């Protein structure tokens, strides 16, 4: 782990599970779920919503505490939309080339890069 990105109080949380998005409220049953690239958002008691763009990882719910361990997590204000757009364009171009070479590993890697860039752009725009 590199750092704690966020430590906060929430009344509701939604996360992108690999089997579908799921929500967590107070007194939720214990849960361990794998997360996919997507958006984690939660609502504070005062009604404010907080959004994060996350890479794949895991979410654990136990005793009214949610722990999320992910490969990457960014708040909307930390995301440079122009840089993410350039990364998206590069990945799309490289994907076209990899498809011409039938390089399955490279195709899978680039599809993941496209998904992450699209998610970062979407979360940044929602948060602004």
């Amino acid at each position: 782990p590199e750092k704690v990105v966020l430590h906060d109080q929430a009344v509701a949380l939604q996360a992108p599970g690999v089997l579908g998005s799921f929500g967590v409220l107070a007194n939720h049953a214990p849960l361990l779920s794998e997360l996919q690239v997507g958006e984690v958002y939660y609502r504070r008691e005062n009604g404010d919503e907080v959004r994060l763009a996350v890479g794949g990882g895991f979410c654990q719910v136990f005793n009214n505490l949610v722990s999320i361990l992910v490969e990457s997590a960014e708040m909307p204000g930390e995301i440079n939309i122009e840089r993410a757009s350039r990364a998206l364009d590069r990945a799309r171009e490289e994907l076209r080339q990899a498809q011409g070479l039938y390089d399955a590993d490279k195709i899978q890697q680039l599809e993941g890069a496209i998904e992450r860039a699209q998610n970062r752009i979407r979360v940044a725009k929602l948060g602004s």
Side-chain angles (χ1 to χ4, degrees):
E2 289 184 22
K3 63 181 176 178
V4 173
V5 173
L6 187 58
H7 182 83
D8 205 351
Q9 299 279 324
V11 296
L13 174 133
Q14 188 160 357
V18 294
L19 298 177
S21 184
F22 63 91
V24 177
L25 298 172
N27 300 315
H28 196 284
L31 166 76
L32 180 61
S33 177
E34 186 177 356
L35 300 178
Q36 64 182 354
V37 171
E39 176 186 16
V40 169
Y41 69 87
Y42 67 91
R43 191 174 63 249
R44 293 180 174 138
E45 200 170 301
N46 66 5
D48 290 348
E49 281 193 354
V50 177
R51 299 175 184 276
L52 293 128
V54 298
F58 294 92
C59 176
Q60 178 185 22
V61 179
F62 186 75
N63 260 358
N64 281 325
L65 178 66
V66 177
S67 298
I68 296 177
L69 305 170
V70 290
E71 293 180 28
S72 63
E74 294 176 280
M75 305 289 283
E78 299 172 340
I79 299 169
N80 181 321
I81 294 176
E82 288 179 26
R83 194 174 90 211
S85 294
R86 286 193 305 271
L88 177 60
D89 291 342
R90 265 193 319 275
R92 284 179 173 159
E93 179 56 36
E94 289 180 30
L95 177 61
R96 280 190 283 280
Q97 293 171 8
Q99 287 170 332
L101 299 173
Y102 303 103
D103 185 342
D105 291 337
K106 187 71 169 173
I107 289 169
Q108 183 177 14
Q109 175 189 14
L110 291 166
E111 286 173 342
I114 289 169
E115 183 180 15
R116 288 186 299 276
Q118 289 173 329
N119 181 58
R120 293 177 71 231
I121 292 166
R122 186 178 52 75
V123 170
K125 287 181 178 179
L126 286 172
S128 57

